Amino acid sequence: MRQLIFLAMFLPFVSMGQSTRQDSAQVFTYEEYMEVVMQHHPMAFQAKLKLESGDAYLQKGRGGFDPKLEGNANQKYYDGKQYYSYLHGGLKIPTWFGVELMAGYDNNVGYRLNDESYTPDLGLWNAGISVNLGQGMFIDQRRADLKQAKLMQQNTVQEQKLMLNELKLQASQAYYDWYKAYEKQNLLANNLSLVELRLLNLRESVKYGDIPAVDTLKASIQVQDRLLKFMEANLDLTNKRIWLNTYLWQDGFLPLEMDSTLVPQLSAVSTPPLIDVDATVDSHPEILLFQNDIRGVMIDTRMKREALKPQLQVKYNALGDQTGNGIVQDYTLSNYKWGATFAYPIFTRKERASVKLNEIKLETQESKLVLKKTQLSYKIQSVQNALNNAITQISVQERAVQMYQVLLDAEQNLFNAGESSQFLINTRDQNLLAARIKLIELYYTRNMLQAQLDYVRCNI
């Protein structure tokens, strides 16, 4: 069932293999594979949730500026009398500028009510503002929380990129491991067929007395050696295919199994263009996260410095009732209430120590940022150099494989003419096989270095 699901999804996207592949094989390219992984792997779904959490952080920060309704009622009845009745309702509206707007209504009556609490029969309306003239004038906890929430939202975007970047590298490793195992198994299978055919030809030659029988023993040993290597390669290919399946999912919840007829194919990798290392480092998600962390410390430091200021809050409320033509028409400047509060620690030792600790933390983070930029720059340049070197090595090894093939063909011709031996043919064949395996390793190394270069650059 899992195979059927997989084929139903991906048969439209795979192309028929090259002529050197089996006729029934279908090519599953790296690009097609990565498209499936980046869209359907559970880690890709987790990365999407990161953005949703960032939006939730921002919503939480903005919630500090939500208007707030309030109300309370307190009444007391005793001995058939209403001692007091306090009714209050109000609305508070915080603003970004640290000014809080207020409006409310009070209706207080009762036999034992405090004189200062009496209101007109229809109640008393009020509207006013509250302003911090010391601490909280330029920044307060509400504004700091919103700034931090915006940084958190930005961080989730970068964290999503890092998660997808890690997934891409791991998935690339699985694909290229599968490619290397497949190519080795395919190479050893072809080589095993050749040495078996060579053994059959030698046995025919022994029948006619053209060569000694001992040559068939040498060829038999070579067949056994190739058979063992083929069995090891076949086991490795099976395990690598199973591991590749762990990256194939549908909608992040249903694991899929790759059809056995699918085969890998490497994309052509040309010499990579020169990279602007400084620009790449400056836009790297890890650097942006560091910078946002520094900004967060700066916001916190600013809040700590606010504590060095005195607490001075002034409130003013205009009052009005409904005894005349209306609240607005009867409003007069003589009806108001106001208040002020003041507090200040004399020595501010605690506050100054908190500022100092944050300044030390800020300097530490800035130092780490410089170090991180240097390390990223080195990694990008070193991986790029290694990739360029691998591409050059491939060109050299391809020529070496061609020369080993010429030597083997020439030795086979000499053997057919009776001027060589089975030992020399086996030696030439082993050298050619080792050279081809080395070439497969270099192709693997080249593409893994390309994947690592994308990884250190966070090229998603």
Side-chain angles (χ1 to χ4, degrees):
M1 177 61 70
R2 296 168 68 194
Q3 290 183 350
L4 292 176
I5 294 175
F6 183 82
L7 288 176
M9 291 177 61
F10 302 118
L11 276 177
F13 301 100
V14 297
S15 56
M16 291 304 297
Q18 301 173 356
S19 58
T20 56
R21 312 273 184 172
Q22 298 177 358
D23 293 339
S24 61
Q26 292 178 305
V27 172
F28 188 31
T29 66
Y30 173 77
E31 290 76 12
E32 294 164 345
Y33 162 75
M34 288 305 303
E35 183 179 355
V36 175
V37 172
M38 301 303 282
Q39 291 184 5
H40 297 278
H41 194 274
M43 190 178 293
F45 277 78
Q46 295 170 26
K48 293 178 182 178
L49 294 178
K50 277 287 183 182
L51 295 181
E52 295 183 15
S53 66
D55 294 337
Y57 278 120
L58 184 58
Q59 183 182 13
K60 182 179 179 181
R62 288 173 173 169
F65 292 89
D66 289 345
K68 183 178 181 180
L69 286 171
E70 61 181 14
N72 59 71
N74 289 288
Q75 296 181 335
K76 180 179 178 181
Y77 294 86
Y78 184 73
D79 197 22
K81 300 178 182 178
Q82 185 184 50
Y83 272 50
Y84 58 79
S85 173
Y86 294 95
L87 299 178
H88 171 75
L91 173 66
K92 293 183 178 180
I93 305 175
T95 67
W96 176 255
F97 305 102
V99 176
E100 189 173 62
L101 305 179
M102 300 175 294
Y105 172 78
D106 295 282
N107 193 341
N108 305 327
V109 296
Y111 179 72
R112 295 292 183 88
L113 194 68
N114 291 333
D115 292 341
E116 65 178 17
S117 301
Y118 275 106
T119 60
D121 292 340
L122 297 179
L124 187 65
W125 293 89
N126 67 83
I129 62 173
S130 174
V131 182
N132 291 316
L133 300 179
Q135 289 185 27
M137 184 174 183
F138 297 105
I139 189 171
D140 53 22
Q141 192 62 53
R142 185 184 291 116
R143 282 175 279 181
D145 288 344
L146 181 55
K147 288 178 179 288
Q148 294 282 15
K150 290 180 178 179
L151 292 179
M152 289 295 296
Q153 185 190 41
Q154 296 172 14
N155 286 348
T156 56
V157 175
Q158 306 309 322
E159 289 170 358
Q160 182 201 39
K161 291 181 180 179
L162 290 176
M163 288 182 65
L164 293 176
N165 194 42
E166 187 69 30
L167 172 61
K168 182 180 178 182
L169 179 64
Q170 295 176 7
S172 298
Q173 175 87 51
Y175 185 89
Y176 294 137
D177 284 347
W178 175 48
Y179 155 79
K180 183 171 68 172
Y182 174 81
E183 291 295 336
K184 282 187 176 181
Q185 190 261 11
N186 197 45
L187 174 62
L188 289 169
N190 293 332
N191 186 262
L192 178 61
S193 298
L194 288 175
V195 295
E196 287 177 339
L197 179 61
R198 190 179 300 151
L199 176 60
L200 291 176
N201 293 334
L202 288 174
R203 286 173 176 170
E204 290 296 322
S205 298
V206 169
K207 289 181 181 179
Y208 295 103
D210 296 334
I211 61 172
V214 70
D215 283 347
T216 62
L217 179 59
K218 296 176 182 178
S220 297
I221 293 174
Q222 189 180 42
V223 169
Q224 296 301 314
D225 177 70
R226 295 297 190 273
L227 179 59
L228 288 175
K229 290 182 178 178
F230 170 75
M231 292 172 65
E232 292 175 356
N234 196 54
L235 175 62
D236 186 50
L237 175 60
T238 301
N239 291 336
K240 292 301 189 294
R241 184 182 287 116
I242 292 173
W243 178 243
L244 187 74
N245 286 337
T246 64
Y247 289 92
L248 299 175
W249 294 75
Q250 181 181 1
D251 299 329
F253 295 96
L254 179 62
L256 301 176
E257 184 175 305
M258 183 174 60
D259 190 86
S260 59
T261 61
L262 295 178
V263 298
Q265 182 185 57
L266 290 187
S267 302
V269 177
S270 57
T271 302
L274 292 177
I275 298 174
D276 188 342
V277 178
D278 291 337
T280 301
V281 169
D282 289 339
S283 61
H284 197 280
E286 290 187 7
I287 299 302
L288 297 179
L289 285 174
F290 258 101
Q291 291 174 342
N292 279 348
D293 188 36
I294 290 174
R295 294 188 184 100
V297 175
M298 292 174 65
I299 294 172
D300 191 44
T301 302
R302 189 178 177 188
M303 279 295 300
K304 301 294 185 185
R305 286 176 178 159
E306 280 293 301
L308 296 174
K309 300 176 182 179
Q311 296 178 6
L312 177 59
Q313 187 181 56
V314 177
K315 294 182 179 181
Y316 173 84
N317 288 82
L319 304 178
D321 57 35
Q322 302 183 51
T323 56
N325 298 323
I327 299 176
V328 177
Q329 292 84 347
D330 293 339
Y331 171 73
T332 173
L333 291 174
S334 61
N335 294 333
Y336 65 89
K337 66 177 180 179
W338 78 279
T341 58
F342 175 84
Y344 187 69
I346 296 176
F347 298 111
T348 64
R349 286 178 291 191
K350 177 181 177 181
E351 291 75 11
R352 285 185 284 113
S354 296
V355 171
K356 182 62 177 178
L357 289 172
N358 266 55
E359 290 175 345
I360 293 173
K361 183 178 180 180
L362 182 60
E363 291 180 7
T364 301
Q365 291 302 104
E366 289 175 342
S367 176
K368 289 181 178 179
L369 176 60
V370 174
L371 177 61
K372 188 64 178 179
K373 283 186 174 182
T374 304
Q375 291 174 338
L376 270 177
S377 177
Y378 165 75
K379 288 180 180 179
I380 292 172
Q381 294 180 66
S382 62
V383 174
Q384 187 176 29
N385 292 337
L387 177 58
N388 291 332
N389 184 62
I391 293 174
T392 303
Q393 286 182 315
I394 286 175
S395 299
V396 174
Q397 189 65 22
E398 286 175 341
R399 290 194 296 270
V401 168
Q402 293 173 359
M403 289 186 285
Y404 278 121
Q405 184 67 57
V406 171
L407 287 175
L408 177 60
D409 294 341
E411 202 67 49
Q412 185 67 52
N413 291 332
L414 290 174
F415 180 82
N416 294 336
E419 298 179 5
S420 183
S421 65
Q422 184 63 32
F423 172 78
L424 290 176
I425 291 180
N426 291 345
T427 301
R428 301 298 187 196
D429 182 69
Q430 290 175 356
N431 291 338
L432 177 60
L433 180 62
R436 285 177 170 169
I437 290 177
K438 177 64 176 178
L439 185 58
I440 293 173
E441 294 280 356
L442 286 174
Y443 283 137
Y444 169 81
T445 300
R446 178 198 64 182
N447 285 73
M448 274 307 304
L449 285 171
Q450 179 64 60
Q452 290 174 12
L453 183 60
D454 291 339
Y455 175 76
V456 296
R457 294 170 57 199
C458 199
N459 185 25
I460 301 297

PDB file of all heavy atoms in Angstrom, residues 55-73:
ATOM      1  N   ASP A  55       3.730  34.553  15.043  1.00  0.00           N
ATOM      2  CA  ASP A  55       2.531  35.394  14.982  1.00  0.00           C
ATOM      3  C   ASP A  55       1.831  35.440  16.342  1.00  0.00           C
ATOM      4  O   ASP A  55       1.287  36.482  16.738  1.00  0.00           O
ATOM      5  CB  ASP A  55       1.569  34.864  13.924  1.00  0.00           C
ATOM      6  CG  ASP A  55       2.137  34.980  12.518  1.00  0.00           C
ATOM      7  OD1 ASP A  55       3.032  35.826  12.318  1.00  0.00           O
ATOM      8  OD2 ASP A  55       1.700  34.225  11.632  1.00  0.00           O
ATOM      9  N   ALA A  56       1.867  34.303  17.051  1.00  0.00           N
ATOM     10  CA  ALA A  56       1.247  34.275  18.381  1.00  0.00           C
ATOM     11  C   ALA A  56       2.013  35.158  19.364  1.00  0.00           C
ATOM     12  O   ALA A  56       1.405  35.849  20.204  1.00  0.00           O
ATOM     13  CB  ALA A  56       1.199  32.835  18.896  1.00  0.00           C
ATOM     14  N   TYR A  57       3.345  35.151  19.279  1.00  0.00           N
ATOM     15  CA  TYR A  57       4.149  36.036  20.137  1.00  0.00           C
ATOM     16  C   TYR A  57       3.794  37.502  19.880  1.00  0.00           C
ATOM     17  O   TYR A  57       3.654  38.301  20.814  1.00  0.00           O
ATOM     18  CB  TYR A  57       5.634  35.815  19.875  1.00  0.00           C
ATOM     19  CG  TYR A  57       6.231  34.632  20.610  1.00  0.00           C
ATOM     20  CD1 TYR A  57       6.811  33.584  19.913  1.00  0.00           C
ATOM     21  CD2 TYR A  57       6.221  34.577  22.004  1.00  0.00           C
ATOM     22  CE1 TYR A  57       7.356  32.498  20.571  1.00  0.00           C
ATOM     23  CE2 TYR A  57       6.763  33.494  22.671  1.00  0.00           C
ATOM     24  CZ  TYR A  57       7.331  32.457  21.948  1.00  0.00           C
ATOM     25  OH  TYR A  57       7.872  31.386  22.605  1.00  0.00           O
ATOM     26  N   LEU A  58       3.666  37.855  18.598  1.00  0.00           N
ATOM     27  CA  LEU A  58       3.349  39.237  18.262  1.00  0.00           C
ATOM     28  C   LEU A  58       1.956  39.608  18.750  1.00  0.00           C
ATOM     29  O   LEU A  58       1.742  40.720  19.273  1.00  0.00           O
ATOM     30  CB  LEU A  58       3.458  39.437  16.751  1.00  0.00           C
ATOM     31  CG  LEU A  58       3.234  40.863  16.250  1.00  0.00           C
ATOM     32  CD1 LEU A  58       4.229  41.824  16.890  1.00  0.00           C
ATOM     33  CD2 LEU A  58       3.341  40.920  14.734  1.00  0.00           C
ATOM     34  N   GLN A  59       1.016  38.710  18.589  1.00  0.00           N
ATOM     35  CA  GLN A  59      -0.335  38.972  19.080  1.00  0.00           C
ATOM     36  C   GLN A  59      -0.339  39.178  20.590  1.00  0.00           C
ATOM     37  O   GLN A  59      -1.032  40.053  21.118  1.00  0.00           O
ATOM     38  CB  GLN A  59      -1.258  37.819  18.698  1.00  0.00           C
ATOM     39  CG  GLN A  59      -2.712  38.037  19.115  1.00  0.00           C
ATOM     40  CD  GLN A  59      -3.595  36.856  18.753  1.00  0.00           C
ATOM     41  OE1 GLN A  59      -3.113  35.787  18.417  1.00  0.00           O
ATOM     42  NE2 GLN A  59      -4.900  37.044  18.841  1.00  0.00           N
ATOM     43  N   LYS A  60       0.460  38.382  21.287  1.00  0.00           N
ATOM     44  CA  LYS A  60       0.562  38.513  22.735  1.00  0.00           C
ATOM     45  C   LYS A  60       1.138  39.872  23.122  1.00  0.00           C
ATOM     46  O   LYS A  60       0.673  40.521  24.064  1.00  0.00           O
ATOM     47  CB  LYS A  60       1.432  37.393  23.290  1.00  0.00           C
ATOM     48  CG  LYS A  60       1.576  37.411  24.806  1.00  0.00           C
ATOM     49  CD  LYS A  60       2.443  36.254  25.274  1.00  0.00           C
ATOM     50  CE  LYS A  60       2.622  36.288  26.799  1.00  0.00           C
ATOM     51  NZ  LYS A  60       3.487  35.161  27.259  1.00  0.00           N
ATOM     52  N   GLY A  61       2.160  40.327  22.387  1.00  0.00           N
ATOM     53  CA  GLY A  61       2.751  41.628  22.681  1.00  0.00           C
ATOM     54  C   GLY A  61       1.782  42.772  22.436  1.00  0.00           C
ATOM     55  O   GLY A  61       1.728  43.732  23.205  1.00  0.00           O
ATOM     56  N   ARG A  62       1.025  42.664  21.357  1.00  0.00           N
ATOM     57  CA  ARG A  62       0.046  43.717  21.063  1.00  0.00           C
ATOM     58  C   ARG A  62      -1.103  43.714  22.061  1.00  0.00           C
ATOM     59  O   ARG A  62      -1.784  44.731  22.234  1.00  0.00           O
ATOM     60  CB  ARG A  62      -0.488  43.524  19.643  1.00  0.00           C
ATOM     61  CG  ARG A  62       0.523  43.864  18.563  1.00  0.00           C
ATOM     62  CD  ARG A  62       0.033  43.511  17.184  1.00  0.00           C
ATOM     63  NE  ARG A  62       0.943  43.978  16.142  1.00  0.00           N
ATOM     64  CZ  ARG A  62       0.879  43.626  14.869  1.00  0.00           C
ATOM     65  NH1 ARG A  62      -0.081  42.791  14.472  1.00  0.00           N
ATOM     66  NH2 ARG A  62       1.744  44.095  13.993  1.00  0.00           N
ATOM     67  N   GLY A  63      -1.310  42.559  22.685  1.00  0.00           N
ATOM     68  CA  GLY A  63      -2.390  42.483  23.667  1.00  0.00           C
ATOM     69  C   GLY A  63      -2.194  43.410  24.850  1.00  0.00           C
ATOM     70  O   GLY A  63      -3.157  43.755  25.543  1.00  0.00           O
ATOM     71  N   GLY A  64      -0.942  43.832  25.087  1.00  0.00           N
ATOM     72  CA  GLY A  64      -0.710  44.779  26.184  1.00  0.00           C
ATOM     73  C   GLY A  64      -1.338  46.137  25.953  1.00  0.00           C
ATOM     74  O   GLY A  64      -1.459  46.937  26.887  1.00  0.00           O
ATOM     75  N   PHE A  65      -1.723  46.418  24.700  1.00  0.00           N
ATOM     76  CA  PHE A  65      -2.337  47.711  24.373  1.00  0.00           C
ATOM     77  C   PHE A  65      -3.838  47.586  24.138  1.00  0.00           C
ATOM     78  O   PHE A  65      -4.467  48.517  23.646  1.00  0.00           O
ATOM     79  CB  PHE A  65      -1.662  48.306  23.131  1.00  0.00           C
ATOM     80  CG  PHE A  65      -0.239  48.711  23.358  1.00  0.00           C
ATOM     81  CD1 PHE A  65       0.785  47.805  23.159  1.00  0.00           C
ATOM     82  CD2 PHE A  65       0.076  49.986  23.798  1.00  0.00           C
ATOM     83  CE1 PHE A  65       2.108  48.162  23.374  1.00  0.00           C
ATOM     84  CE2 PHE A  65       1.389  50.350  24.018  1.00  0.00           C
ATOM     85  CZ  PHE A  65       2.418  49.435  23.813  1.00  0.00           C
ATOM     86  N   ASP A  66      -4.396  46.447  24.504  1.00  0.00           N
ATOM     87  CA  ASP A  66      -5.835  46.283  24.358  1.00  0.00           C
ATOM     88  C   ASP A  66      -6.583  47.135  25.379  1.00  0.00           C
ATOM     89  O   ASP A  66      -6.173  47.211  26.556  1.00  0.00           O
ATOM     90  CB  ASP A  66      -6.223  44.818  24.558  1.00  0.00           C
ATOM     91  CG  ASP A  66      -5.777  43.945  23.407  1.00  0.00           C
ATOM     92  OD1 ASP A  66      -5.432  44.484  22.346  1.00  0.00           O
ATOM     93  OD2 ASP A  66      -5.768  42.704  23.579  1.00  0.00           O
ATOM     94  N   PRO A  67      -7.670  47.798  24.968  1.00  0.00           N
ATOM     95  CA  PRO A  67      -8.507  48.515  25.940  1.00  0.00           C
ATOM     96  C   PRO A  67      -9.042  47.545  26.994  1.00  0.00           C
ATOM     97  O   PRO A  67      -9.270  46.364  26.709  1.00  0.00           O
ATOM     98  CB  PRO A  67      -9.634  49.098  25.076  1.00  0.00           C
ATOM     99  CG  PRO A  67      -9.075  49.143  23.689  1.00  0.00           C
ATOM    100  CD  PRO A  67      -8.144  47.968  23.583  1.00  0.00           C
ATOM    101  N   LYS A  68      -9.256  48.056  28.191  1.00  0.00           N
ATOM    102  CA  LYS A  68      -9.662  47.194  29.288  1.00  0.00           C
ATOM    103  C   LYS A  68     -10.894  47.771  29.984  1.00  0.00           C
ATOM    104  O   LYS A  68     -10.879  48.907  30.455  1.00  0.00           O
ATOM    105  CB  LYS A  68      -8.522  47.053  30.293  1.00  0.00           C
ATOM    106  CG  LYS A  68      -8.821  46.116  31.443  1.00  0.00           C
ATOM    107  CD  LYS A  68      -7.615  46.000  32.363  1.00  0.00           C
ATOM    108  CE  LYS A  68      -7.896  45.038  33.520  1.00  0.00           C
ATOM    109  NZ  LYS A  68      -6.718  44.922  34.428  1.00  0.00           N
ATOM    110  N   LEU A  69     -11.942  46.961  30.001  1.00  0.00           N
ATOM    111  CA  LEU A  69     -13.139  47.322  30.756  1.00  0.00           C
ATOM    112  C   LEU A  69     -13.008  46.842  32.188  1.00  0.00           C
ATOM    113  O   LEU A  69     -12.453  45.766  32.439  1.00  0.00           O
ATOM    114  CB  LEU A  69     -14.383  46.695  30.119  1.00  0.00           C
ATOM    115  CG  LEU A  69     -14.887  47.321  28.809  1.00  0.00           C
ATOM    116  CD1 LEU A  69     -15.975  46.441  28.209  1.00  0.00           C
ATOM    117  CD2 LEU A  69     -15.406  48.732  29.054  1.00  0.00           C
ATOM    118  N   GLU A  70     -13.528  47.623  33.120  1.00  0.00           N
ATOM    119  CA  GLU A  70     -13.484  47.222  34.518  1.00  0.00           C
ATOM    120  C   GLU A  70     -14.763  47.661  35.211  1.00  0.00           C
ATOM    121  O   GLU A  70     -15.442  48.583  34.767  1.00  0.00           O
ATOM    122  CB  GLU A  70     -12.271  47.831  35.221  1.00  0.00           C
ATOM    123  CG  GLU A  70     -12.266  49.360  35.225  1.00  0.00           C
ATOM    124  CD  GLU A  70     -11.044  49.931  35.911  1.00  0.00           C
ATOM    125  OE1 GLU A  70     -10.098  49.166  36.143  1.00  0.00           O
ATOM    126  OE2 GLU A  70     -11.030  51.136  36.208  1.00  0.00           O
ATOM    127  N   GLY A  71     -15.078  47.013  36.266  1.00  0.00           N
ATOM    128  CA  GLY A  71     -16.263  47.377  37.041  1.00  0.00           C
ATOM    129  C   GLY A  71     -16.285  46.657  38.371  1.00  0.00           C
ATOM    130  O   GLY A  71     -15.689  45.586  38.515  1.00  0.00           O
ATOM    131  N   ASN A  72     -16.915  47.254  39.335  1.00  0.00           N
ATOM    132  CA  ASN A  72     -17.063  46.596  40.625  1.00  0.00           C
ATOM    133  C   ASN A  72     -18.290  47.140  41.328  1.00  0.00           C
ATOM    134  O   ASN A  72     -18.760  48.261  41.046  1.00  0.00           O
ATOM    135  CB  ASN A  72     -15.809  46.768  41.489  1.00  0.00           C
ATOM    136  CG  ASN A  72     -15.484  48.232  41.751  1.00  0.00           C
ATOM    137  OD1 ASN A  72     -16.180  48.910  42.494  1.00  0.00           O
ATOM    138  ND2 ASN A  72     -14.412  48.732  41.127  1.00  0.00           N
ATOM    139  N   ALA A  73     -18.814  46.360  42.237  1.00  0.00           N
ATOM    140  CA  ALA A  73     -19.987  46.751  43.035  1.00  0.00           C
ATOM    141  C   ALA A  73     -19.797  46.227  44.450  1.00  0.00           C
ATOM    142  O   ALA A  73     -19.435  45.056  44.644  1.00  0.00           O
ATOM    143  CB  ALA A  73     -21.263  46.189  42.426  1.00  0.00           C
TER     144      ALA A  73
END
